[in-house]
Each structure stands twice: as C-alpha cells, then as structure tokens.
Amino acid sequence: MAATAPPLPQKRRLDSSLSSWRWGDRIGFVACWAAGIGLCLIAAGIVLYMGFQGLKYLDATLLVTHPNVDTDQSKSGGFLDPIIGTVLLTLIGIAIATPIAVGTAVWLVEYGRPAWLARLVESGIEVVAGTPDIVIAIFGLALFQKGLFSWMSFSAAGGAVFGRSFLTAGAMMSLIALPMVFGATREGLQSIPAHVREASYALGKTRIATIRRVLLPAVKPNVSTGAALGMGRIAGDTAIVVVLLGATLRLQSEGGLPVLGTLRGTGSTLTSYVYNNSPAGEGAAPNRAYAAAFVLLLVVIALNFAVDGIARRGARYGLESTRLDRQ
Amino acid sequence: MIGNEETHDVERLLPPPIKRIVVDEQLQPTIVQPPVADPVAATGPSAGAVRAGARAHRRGTPGPERMTLDGLSVSYGTKRAVNEVSLPIRQGEVLALIGPSGCGKTTLLRTLNRLTELTPTARREGRILLDGQDVDELEVTALRRRVSMVFQQPNPFPMSIFDNVAYALREQAMKRPGKAAVEPQVIDALRRAGLYDEVKDDLSRPALRLSGGQQQRLCIARALAVRPEVLLMDEPCSALDPRSTAVIEELIQELRSELAIVIVTHNLQQAYRVGDHVAFMYLGDLVEYGRTEQVFAAPRAQRTRDYVGGAFG
Ligand SMILES: Nc1ncnc2c1ncn2[C@@H]1O[C@H](COP(=O)(O)OP(=O)(O)OP(=O)(O)O)[C@@H](O)[C@H]1O
Ligand SMILES: [Mg+2]
C-alpha cells in the first residue's frame, strides 16, 4: 500500500474535477479565478468606457485649440495647452530624474562604499518612493518659494517668490520618476555577472571605461524601461500639477525669453484639466473631461507598450540568453 | 555592419600576418619555428590528429624569459593559496600548469596580471618581473594589455562580435577611434583566433548568440587584439566539447611562436599535447617544474608521480 498510494493522490489532483477538492481549496480556487477575471473586467471597463465617452466627445479640433475660460461650452475651446503641458512636464521630470537615478545606481552597485552611505542612499530613495505626491508637492512649494529659487518661477513686486512653474513642478516630478529609473538600472547592473567586469579589467580597462563602455550600454534597456515607467507616473500625476504648476488653463509665459519664459511660467496638464472639468471641479464640462481623460489614457498606455517593446528589443545583445546556463 | 565586398577589400589591404613579423623582429631570430609542423593538425582538427603530431615540433632550446616569478606567495586573509613559487615563463613556448583542484593555479595566473588585486582579501608577496621590470612599477592597465587573459568560462561582453574585439583595441573610455579605423585589427584578431571565417558574414551579431566554443575563441581574439606578450589561459577548454577543444589546442600551437602562453588545465593529456614545460602544483606549492616529457615520463617527486601516473595508463 505504501508503495502504490503516493502517486495516486497526485494523479487525482491533476486531472480530477473541482468536485473532489476540499471546500477550502474550492473557495480559494474560485476566489483566485474571480480576482483575475475581475481585474481584467475592470481594466476592460475603464478602457472601453473611457474610449466610448472619449470618442463620443473627442474631435480633432479639441486637440489643437487653446482652452478658454467660458461658461458657454461652445466657446471654452480645446485642450492643446494641457497636452503641451503634459508633454513638457514629463520631459522636464524625466530629464532631471534619469541622470541622477542612473548615476546613483552606478555608484551604489559599482562602488557602494562606505557601506553605511550606500544603505543610507538606498533608504533615502525608498522614502522618496513611498512619499505621497501631495506631500512632495507641498514640500516643493515651500522649497521653491525661497528667494534662492526665484529664477525658477517669478517674483511678485514685493519680492515674494511665486514658486509655481514648469521648472519647479518638473523638479518635483523628477522625484516620483527617480525611484523607478533607479530601481530598473540597479536591477540591470546587478544582473550583469562579475566575470563580465573582470573580462574588461583583464583587457587593461579602467573602472570608468568599464562602466562607460560595457555596463551602461548593457543596462540601456533597463534605463529606458525605468524611464518609460517614470514618464507614465509623471503624466498621470495630479497633485504636483495642481500645487506647483499653478494650474492656469493656458501656458503663461514669464519674462521675454521664448523657451525659458515658458519653463518659468505656469500652465496645466491633462490631469489638472480633467480634474477641473470633471463634475468634481469648477468647470463642470464633463464631455471635455472625458475626451481629455481618454487622450491621457492613450498616452499612458502608449508608454506602457513602449516599456514592453524596449524590454523585448533590449534582449538583442543581452545576457538573458546565457544567464541560465551560467548558474 | 560589414558587407561582403567590403570585407574582401579589407583582406587585400591587410598587412601580412603579424606573428611572423614578431618572430623575425623580436628577441629570437635564431629559433626557427615551423608554424605548424604537423600537417594533420593543420588540415583536420581532430583531437587524435593533434595528439599524434603534437610532440613532433618541440624545440630543443628554451626561448628567452618573458616573465619571472620570484618567491611568489599569495594569501587570502590568513589562507595561503600560492606558496613561494619561482618560475620562468618563456617566449615562444607553452607552460602548462597542472595540479588538483584548489591548489592555487587560478590564483597564480590571476596574480600575473594583478587581477588578484580586485579581491580585497588577497595579499601578495614576492616579485613578478615582466621583461626584467617589476610588474608593480608598471601601470596596471598597461600591464594587463601586455599580459592578457582568457578565462575558464567564455565571457564575451553583451555586445556585437565586432564591438567585443574593438573594445579591447580602443584605448580608454574617452578616446574613440572610429569603426573603420579599428576594423583591420578586429578582423586580424578574429582571424588569428581562427574565428573569422565562421562569423565574417555578420560581425554585428550579438556575441552571446555564438556557440560556447566560438565564444571562447572570440575571447581569445579579444585577448590577442591588444597584442599581448604573454597570454594566460585558465582552463580555456573546460566548458567546451572535444571538437572545440581541438580547435583551440590547434590555435595554441599556432600562437606559441609569437607569445609566451601559460595554460592551466585539468586535462593531463592536454597538458602533454600543448605544453613545452609543465609545472605541477600541490596545495599552493610548486612541486615540480620541467620539460613536458621529463615531467610525464620521469617525474622527480612522488606527488607528481601519483598525480600524472593515471594519465597515460
Ligand atoms: N576570492 C577568494 N577568497 C578566498 N579564498 C580563495 C579565493 N579564491 C580562491 N581561494 C582559495 O585559494 C585556494 C586556491 O584557489 P584557486 O582558485 O587558485 O585553485 P585552482 O587550482 O584554480 O582550483 P581549480 O582547479 O578547482 O580551479 C583555494 O583553497 C581557494 O579556496
Ligand atoms: Mg581554477
């Protein structure tokens, strides 16, 4: 009996129906399925509902006309400025976050000394990653209203620094993207086996050359993935926009210079536009809110596809093909 | 990317194979070294053929000393891994380093190009001379270009085949000669490593898609590209099949005229096939050093006798 019994339950388990399971297992099994399918339904619901509503109200002129403050819906314009605002803010944020995150990850993985400092840096990034965006936003406002940062926004006649601009909002936005870029880069560096570095040193290469020419190219797909994820987070963030971008409907330039003026000025993004036009906001133009929300959703979904594409393309020279048989 | 016509052009532009020039110009004009004395090995790389002819072209006189180890000891923390080893490494010959696992062969090899310095616990005593100069006085990057290394596991960089070799050629991070500038040297290195014909169609292919044997030959090409004087090989065939092993052994035979080669191997027959001199280590000590025939046929030490005894039973 002892010899024949063990295989039996296993076989039963594999191909028997649910009816032979214990009740606890059955409930757990059904719950897992339900959770998975439920999530798919919710995702499909969001996309379909927003798609349906968005397409209903979206038309091409909305994308290219400036918004107006007007109670008459036919005159309140489109959301060109919020689209530009989202793009601009995302680019500023990621442009600040990426070099800092990559540099930090390289230092941590390749040098990481003294150890206490490395631990401190890691916990610092964890804290930043865990801080709610509204807290980051308020901190940013307090920080950038200091006279030292008056060049980033503008000062009122009395010398009070406004503290709200694309630059200040972008700087704080970089904080919410930074942990994603950092995490992806660190993971990439850690997955490069030590013998790759050793091979480079054995060719008479310095550590800097090794980082620059071997390690950084190898983690490029990781950096891109992290950057795309971070851009998705920036594009979707509302709190920092509302607090730090001024949420003026149109781009408001500060000073005469063309680009710097815009960067120092205020504006809005798709998120703040949706918020302000939704039934919750003051504008109460839900059809515009839906259309803009749909555009925002498309942007974020496109970024997610970009992540997948980068990851797949990055495998070209990658270590994945050999990592398994190495270990 | 290198198109086919372009490749042929480059072939025509190439200087004659440099190994002969090196032999002629440097150090040992007296030694006449037939590149491959064994016609069988030259045509068909079967292990048996290499073995049959392998001993045929051994010289009588040893070449000039390239490296000298003088009372070399290495410890990891308190553990002695290499104990007072003194050895000559000669140009134009292969030194085979044998011994049971853990006896310090890899440690010894990695000390020669100061790679052990990457291990924080490792400490070295004794002197290593390269052409009469203490290696500690050399810039470590320069030393490693003169004494280059092939590892036990093929370890190409995650880049294209071309870039793997070109990376070795380019000086350091900031100076970057263009692709066209390094291409002849890349192709020459690949050819010297016997890999070129297999990969010439697409040098932009990822190196990690090559077979293990091809990867190892790419690593040899990379090591050769810097034009080293000494080539260290740490069990270069242990991850390879017999055919790839035979190809690499044949390659060693061809390279031995232009370089000093030190090869670590667990395969005593391989040591016999490729080695001019054999050094037998045991628990960090150099037990025996001598000409291959002598070490295998008439070892002086009992330890050596026990170790090599089983090899040709
Ligand atoms: N990084 C290290 N830290 C501490 N001890 C080490 C280290 N590397 C090697 N050793 C020790 O030094 C001794 C010699 O190791 P080494 O790798 O040189 O042996 P080996 O002759 O190459 O062995 P094998 O034939 O198995 O490759 C071993 O006892 C090993 O445990
Ligand atoms: Mg070893």
Side-chain angles (χ1 to χ4, degrees):
Chain A
M1 184 200 155
T4 51
L8 210 62
Q10 232 194 356
K11 195 157 183 264
R12 286 264 297 278
R13 189 76 184 220
L14 279 177
D15 55 25
S16 66
S17 66
L18 205 57
S19 60
S20 66
W21 289 20
R22 267 188 278 119
W23 267 107
D25 290 356
R26 279 193 226 185
I27 293 170
F29 179 77
V30 171
C32 290
W33 266 90
I37 290 174
L39 270 178
C40 287
L41 288 178
I42 292 171
I46 294 172
V47 173
L48 287 178
Y49 183 74
M50 293 316 294
F52 175 73
Q53 294 284 16
L55 288 174
K56 194 163 70 182
Y57 298 119
L58 187 66
D59 73 71
T61 56
L62 282 182
L63 297 175
V64 294
T65 46
H66 294 286
N68 270 320
V69 183
D70 203 315
T71 42
D72 182 353
Q73 285 300 303
S74 63
K75 288 186 196 149
S76 65
F79 39 85
L80 175 64
D81 291 56
I83 290 178
I84 295 173
T86 294
V87 170
L88 206 54
L89 201 56
T90 307
L91 291 181
I92 296 170
I94 208 66
I96 298 174
T98 305
I100 296 175
V102 171
T104 311
V106 165
W107 176 79
L108 198 71
V109 178
E110 300 304 318
Y111 298 89
R113 244 164 264 276
W116 61 265
L117 187 60
R119 269 199 305 278
L120 199 67
V121 167
E122 247 176 328
S123 352
I125 288 174
E126 264 161 40
V127 168
V128 169
T131 308
D133 51 356
I134 186 71
V135 177
I136 291 180
I138 294 173
F139 169 75
L141 192 61
L143 181 70
F144 292 124
Q145 281 179 334
K146 298 269 176 288
L148 180 65
F149 298 107
S150 61
W151 59 274
M152 292 178 81
S153 57
F154 75 97
S155 313
V161 180
F162 190 51
R164 301 177 180 85
S165 74
F166 274 103
L167 283 181
T168 60
M172 287 295 117
M173 282 294 194
S174 73
L175 286 184
I176 67 172
L178 198 142
M180 325 223 75
V181 185
F182 169 81
T185 310
R186 182 182 57 176
E187 199 181 303
L189 286 172
Q190 283 170 342
S191 72
I192 298 177
H195 62 71
V196 171
R197 296 174 178 82
E198 210 160 62
S200 178
Y201 299 142
L203 289 169
K205 299 295 177 175
T206 57
R207 192 176 268 226
I208 296 289
T210 305
I211 290 171
R212 177 90 180 74
R213 298 293 171 205
V214 179
L215 303 183
L216 283 184
V219 298
K220 225 194 277 176
N222 303 72
V223 176
S224 312
T225 304
L229 286 172
M231 286 162 79
R233 284 204 55 187
I234 295 178
D237 192 86
T238 319
I240 293 175
V241 178
V242 170
V243 174
L244 272 176
L245 195 58
T248 52
L249 210 44
R250 286 199 184 185
L251 301 178
Q252 300 278 324
S253 205
E254 284 305 325
L257 298 166
V259 177
L260 190 67
T262 309
L263 295 183
R264 291 178 65 202
T266 57
S268 61
T269 66
L270 286 170
T271 51
S272 67
Y273 184 85
V274 170
Y275 171 73
N276 286 328
N277 284 298
S278 73
E282 20 346 317
N287 50 357
R288 291 237 159 51
Y290 281 126
F294 178 62
V295 172
L296 179 61
L297 194 63
L298 288 185
V299 169
V300 174
I301 289 176
L303 281 172
N304 276 319
F305 275 113
V307 171
D308 281 356
I310 293 162
R312 220 168 294 130
R313 211 157 36 94
R316 178 163 156 73
Y317 293 121
L319 298 153
E320 283 78 7
S321 50
T322 49
R323 209 177 284 153
L324 285 179
D325 48 47
R326 276 276 157 69
Q327 295 330 286
Chain B
M1 192 129 15
I2 293 167
N4 258 336
E5 303 103 304
E6 213 181 324
T7 311
H8 289 306
D9 283 347
V10 170
E11 269 175 58
R12 248 180 283 124
L13 292 173
L14 272 180
I18 307 221
K19 55 182 174 186
R20 307 228 158 71
I21 299 175
V22 172
V23 172
D24 292 345
E25 279 178 355
Q26 284 186 343
L27 294 160
Q28 43 164 348
T30 50
I31 294 158
V32 182
Q33 174 78 35
V36 183
D38 175 14
V40 188
T43 49
S46 86
V50 173
R51 190 177 315 164
R55 310 296 313 162
H57 55 286
R58 290 293 181 269
R59 288 192 305 271
T61 49
E65 253 175 63
R66 241 40 234 279
M67 289 190 101
T68 314
L69 319 192
D70 183 12
L72 180 70
S73 301
V74 185
S75 324
Y76 294 106
T78 55
K79 188 186 180 327
R80 264 278 152 109
V82 173
N83 191 24
E84 306 252 331
V85 170
S86 299
L87 265 181
I89 295 169
R90 295 200 178 89
Q91 160 93 32
E93 69 167 32
V94 179
L95 170 64
L97 208 51
I98 60 172
S101 187
C103 69
K105 306 183 294 295
T106 300
T107 304
L108 176 70
L109 214 58
R110 290 165 56 89
T111 311
L112 298 186
N113 61 356
R114 289 170 59 188
L115 266 189
T116 33
E117 288 174 12
L118 298 176
T119 312
T121 54
R123 219 180 55 254
R124 197 196 91 200
E125 288 154 53
R127 290 200 312 159
I128 306 172
L129 303 180
L130 176 62
D131 292 333
Q133 196 180 7
D134 199 312
V135 294
D136 291 330
E137 290 163 13
L138 293 166
E139 188 83 49
V140 71
T141 53
L143 169 70
R144 288 176 187 160
R145 294 169 85 84
R146 291 170 66 185
V147 182
S148 82
M149 182 155 183
V150 176
F151 294 81
Q152 179 169 2
Q153 284 286 344
N155 55 359
F157 300 120
M159 344 165 157
S160 71
I161 296 170
F162 185 95
D163 287 341
N164 259 276
V165 183
Y167 174 69
L169 289 165
R170 287 173 174 147
E171 272 298 324
Q172 288 299 353
M174 297 310 150
K175 290 179 246 161
R176 296 269 294 172
K179 196 157 195 169
V182 293
E183 191 172 309
Q185 298 173 67
V186 170
I187 291 172
D188 181 47
L190 286 171
R191 192 170 282 142
R192 293 209 299 161
L195 185 63
Y196 184 65
D197 288 335
E198 289 160 60
V199 299
K200 64 180 172 205
D201 298 329
D202 187 5
L203 292 181
S204 64
R205 213 154 26 116
L208 290 166
R209 298 269 169 80
L210 295 171
S211 77
Q214 289 172 325
Q215 287 188 17
Q216 192 63 301
R217 275 179 287 148
L218 179 62
C219 293
I220 294 175
R222 203 171 61 184
L224 291 175
V226 293
R227 300 238 157 250
E229 298 156 38
V230 181
L231 182 63
L232 310 173
M233 305 176 103
D234 190 0
E235 299 180 48
C237 304
S238 67
L240 307 182
D241 68 311
R243 217 203 95 88
S244 307
T245 302
V247 172
I248 287 179
E249 280 184 21
E250 200 189 334
L251 186 61
I252 293 170
Q253 305 286 16
E254 283 168 31
L255 293 171
R256 60 204 286 284
S257 59
E258 46 184 305
L259 301 158
I261 298 178
V262 185
I263 179 171
V264 169
T265 177
H266 273 292
N267 182 337
L268 294 178
Q269 276 154 45
Q270 184 175 56
Y272 183 74
R273 287 196 294 272
V274 302
D276 296 275
H277 279 81
V278 171
F280 171 66
M281 289 180 69
Y282 188 82
L283 293 180
D285 292 316
L286 178 67
V287 175
E288 185 142 1
Y289 168 79
R291 299 197 51 79
T292 305
E293 293 85 350
Q294 177 252 311
V295 172
F296 279 105
R300 279 189 292 264
Q302 182 60 38
R303 281 251 160 71
T304 323
R305 210 166 299 140
D306 294 343
Y307 188 72
V308 303
F312 303 96

